[in-house]
Amino acid sequence: MENSSNNEHLKKDQAKKQLITKIEVQKRNKERFNVFINHVFSFGISESVLAKFGLYKGKELDSETIDDIKVAEIEFGAYQEALSFLTHRLRTEKEIRDHLSEKEYSPESIDQAMQKLSEMQLINDSEYAAAYTRTANRAGKKGPKVIQRDLITLGVSKAILENIEDHYPIEDQLANAIKMAQKFVKSHQKESKRLVETKARTFLIQKGFSPDIGQSAISTVLNEVELLTDEERLAPVAEKYFRKYSKRFSSYDLDQKTREALLRKGFSNDLISQWLKKSHV
């Protein structure tokens, strides 16, 4: 009875043990290998994981070890995918995690990949935020508030963003805001100066500049650039609307429609009345 029991245990142990009978280089990727167990293909494996587990022809493996090898291979694949994703530019931790999730890697393999990247100093959200801010500063099309919103979307923590202005000094903010205000003001010559100033202020705030920076920039532009007076601005705009509405409306309605259009452009009622009076002379 005892011998019979021992034989059964021996058979079970032998069943658990699986022999590597062949390891061959893959044809399409010389850094990957096909592993055959008991003369049957079992799994593909990277050179790194092959070396980690010390695999060779004739080595015996149990099921648990094979499972460990497959897990390690998945983790290595996640790490390689992350490295590839980092090839073109810096990425935030959230960007990399989202990318690996889209590639359907498990949370565990993603965590392992992120740990490796961190150890190799390949991810650093503080450095990413600094580089992103300096680039945006040089481009001159965004204020710090918009840059902060961009970085929050990319997963950068608010604690890191507290130091964002170290990489976007006040003098640079003002210089960029002035350039944007100049373009905006010049492209809105058909509206009253008061309306242009209001719109320009809103525009700069939407671009991420503070109200103080926006107002300083607009004041600088209005003081330095020789702009048309409201009377000079109104004339061509009024003539355009007057001609347009004269085809559809009689005298009173024509004046009313023209007045309404010019009011929407920010011109004063008195100035509009003066022009309409002259137009009937």
Side-chain angles (χ1 to χ4, degrees):
M1 292 288 292
E2 186 175 344
N3 287 337
S4 176
S5 178
N6 288 338
N7 288 335
E8 287 181 8
H9 285 300
L10 182 61
K11 287 179 181 179
K12 287 181 179 179
D13 289 340
Q14 289 175 339
K16 289 179 181 178
K17 295 293 183 180
Q18 302 183 63
L19 184 69
I20 296 178
T21 52
K22 183 180 180 182
I23 298 176
E24 66 176 11
V25 178
Q26 292 185 357
K27 292 180 180 179
R28 295 185 178 180
N29 188 341
K30 302 302 181 183
E31 295 180 355
R32 291 187 60 78
F33 300 82
N34 294 326
V35 177
F36 292 76
I37 293 178
N38 298 336
H39 304 288
V40 177
F41 171 76
S42 182
F43 51 82
I45 191 172
S46 62
E47 186 175 7
S48 175
V49 177
L50 182 79
K52 177 181 177 180
F53 284 86
L55 303 183
Y56 57 88
K57 181 180 177 180
K59 183 170 184 175
E60 287 187 340
L61 304 174
D62 56 30
S63 297
E64 186 176 341
T65 302
I66 291 174
D67 289 341
D68 289 343
I69 291 170
K70 291 179 178 179
V71 169
E73 182 60 25
I74 291 172
E75 291 175 352
F76 182 76
Y79 172 66
Q80 289 295 102
E81 180 64 36
L83 285 179
S84 176
F85 190 54
L86 282 165
T87 299
H88 303 294
R89 66 172 177 84
L90 292 173
R91 309 278 184 176
T92 64
E93 181 175 342
K94 181 180 183 297
E95 283 184 289
I96 298 171
R97 285 185 177 276
D98 289 348
H99 177 74
L100 293 178
S101 293
E102 288 174 4
K103 295 293 182 178
E104 299 185 350
Y105 284 101
S106 68
E108 294 78 15
S109 61
I110 293 173
D111 287 340
Q112 287 293 323
M114 299 307 295
Q115 184 178 335
K116 255 188 174 181
L117 293 173
S118 181
E119 290 171 355
M120 297 181 70
Q121 299 184 337
L122 292 175
I123 50 171
N124 186 315
D125 281 2
S126 293
E127 291 183 4
Y128 181 96
Y132 186 96
T133 304
R134 288 193 294 267
T135 300
N137 180 359
R138 289 193 295 271
K141 296 181 179 180
K142 295 179 181 179
K145 297 297 182 185
V146 166
I147 295 171
Q148 286 179 332
R149 288 200 294 271
D150 290 348
L151 290 171
I152 287 172
T153 300
L154 292 169
V156 177
S157 70
K158 291 183 179 180
I160 290 175
L161 297 179
E162 289 177 1
N163 301 319
I164 191 173
E165 292 194 4
D166 291 346
H167 310 288
Y168 200 164
I170 294 295
E171 56 269 25
D172 289 350
Q173 294 179 39
L174 181 58
N176 287 337
I178 287 173
K179 290 176 183 177
M180 295 176 74
Q182 287 171 335
K183 291 181 180 179
F184 187 91
V185 168
K186 288 179 180 179
S187 65
H188 287 73
Q189 291 282 8
K190 295 181 179 180
E191 297 170 334
S192 71
K193 290 172 67 176
R194 178 180 60 81
L195 183 59
V196 171
E197 183 175 354
T198 300
K199 284 187 173 183
R201 188 183 301 111
T202 301
F203 170 75
L204 291 177
I205 290 174
Q206 290 173 341
K207 289 296 182 179
F209 296 98
S210 70
D212 289 344
I213 291 290
Q215 188 56 57
S216 295
I218 294 166
S219 297
T220 300
V221 171
L222 294 178
N223 288 334
E224 292 181 352
V225 178
E226 187 175 340
L227 300 173
L228 296 174
T229 65
D230 273 5
E231 188 172 3
E232 292 171 325
R233 289 164 176 261
L234 180 141
V237 181
E239 289 170 3
K240 173 186 171 183
Y241 283 118
F242 197 79
R243 286 196 302 271
K244 175 182 177 181
Y245 294 134
S246 63
K247 299 174 183 178
R248 299 163 53 194
F249 300 102
S250 59
S251 180
Y252 176 77
D253 289 336
L254 171 60
D255 284 0
Q256 286 299 104
K257 289 294 182 181
T258 302
R259 184 184 300 276
E260 289 170 5
L262 294 173
L263 286 171
R264 288 195 296 271
K265 290 292 183 179
F267 295 106
S268 71
N269 196 47
D270 288 343
L271 196 58
I272 296 170
S273 295
Q274 290 174 25
W275 187 89
L276 289 172
K277 186 176 180 180
K278 289 178 183 178
S279 68
H280 292 297
V281 173

